[in-house]
C-alpha cells in the first residue's frame, strides 16, 4: 500500500520534471489526480499492511499526502523512550523504502528530478499512527530533503 502511494506520485511527477518550474495548469492537473487517487483508495480501506498495522485512510491536502494507520497495540503500555525509538524506526524505514523504490523502479524520473519536483510543489508525505484505542502515537513526515 505504501509502495502504491509512492508509485503514483512518481508517475505523476515524471510528467512534469522536465522544467525547474511547473505551470499552474500542470500543478492543478497533478493535484486533481492525487485527490482522485485518494478517493479511489479510500473506497478500498481499511487495508491490513502487516501483522499489526492497518491503513485506515489517505488524503491529499495542501500538497501533503496524508495517511492514517492503526497499530494493534495500546500505546499507554509503551514508554516515551520506546515510542521515540519506534517513531525513528518508522521514519527511517519509510525513507529507505521510498529511496529504494525510486532507485529501482522504472518511473522515468531520477532521484534528483523527483526531489526537485517535491521542492517546487512543496510535496510532503505524512504518516500518522494511532493505537488500537485511536490514541495518537506519532506522525512521520518526509519532504524533499529525505530524497
Amino acid at each position: 500500500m505504501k509502495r502504491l502511494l509512492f508509485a503514483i506520485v512518481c508517475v505523476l511527477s515524471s510528467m512534469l520534471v522536465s522544467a525547474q518550474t511547473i505551470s499552474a495548469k500542470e500543478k492543478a492537473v497533478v493535484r486533481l489526480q492525487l485527490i482522485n487517487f485518494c478517493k479511489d483508495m479510500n473506497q478500498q480501506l481499511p487495508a491490513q499492511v502487516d501483522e499489526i498495522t492497518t491503513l485506515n485512510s489517505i488524503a491529499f491536502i495542501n500538497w501533503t499526502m496524508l495517511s492514517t494507520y492503526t497499530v494493534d497495540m495500546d500505546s499507554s503500555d509503551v514508554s516515551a523512550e520506546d515510542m521515540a525509538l519506534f517513531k525513528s524506526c518508522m521514519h527511517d524505514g519509510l525513507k529507505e523504502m521510498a529511496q529504494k523504490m525510486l532507485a529501482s523502479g522504472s518511473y522515468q524520473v531520477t532521484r534528483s528530478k523527483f526531489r526537485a519536483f517535491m521542492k517546487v510543489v512543496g510535496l510532503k508525505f505524512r504518516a500518522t499512527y494511532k493505537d488500537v484505542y485511536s490514541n495518537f502515537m506519532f506522525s512521520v513526515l518526509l519532504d524533499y530533503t529525505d530524497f
Side-chain angles (χ1 to χ4, degrees), residues 19-109:
Q20 288 293 353
T21 60
I22 296 170
S23 73
K25 184 177 178 180
E26 290 171 322
K27 196 172 178 178
V29 167
V30 171
R31 181 182 168 277
L32 184 60
Q33 288 175 332
L34 289 171
I35 289 169
N36 288 334
F37 169 76
C38 291
K39 286 179 184 177
D40 292 343
M41 285 299 299
N42 280 317
Q43 292 177 357
Q44 302 172 43
L45 298 178
Q48 197 73 29
V49 175
D50 59 32
E51 295 174 356
I52 64 167
T53 311
T54 302
L55 175 60
N56 297 311
S57 65
I58 62 170
F60 182 72
I61 301 169
N62 296 327
W63 289 97
T64 302
M65 185 66 73
L66 305 164
S67 54
T68 304
Y69 297 88
T70 298
V71 181
D72 189 15
M73 66 186 306
D74 181 353
S75 62
S76 66
D77 294 337
V78 181
S79 70
E81 185 177 278
D82 287 342
M83 191 63 73
L85 179 61
F86 186 29
K87 178 181 178 179
S88 177
C89 289
M90 291 305 294
H91 178 270
D92 294 347
L94 287 171
K95 182 177 174 178
E96 182 180 333
M97 184 243 358
Q99 289 175 350
K100 281 183 181 177
M101 284 185 60
L102 195 56
S104 65
S106 56
Y107 305 111
Q108 300 173 339
V109 60

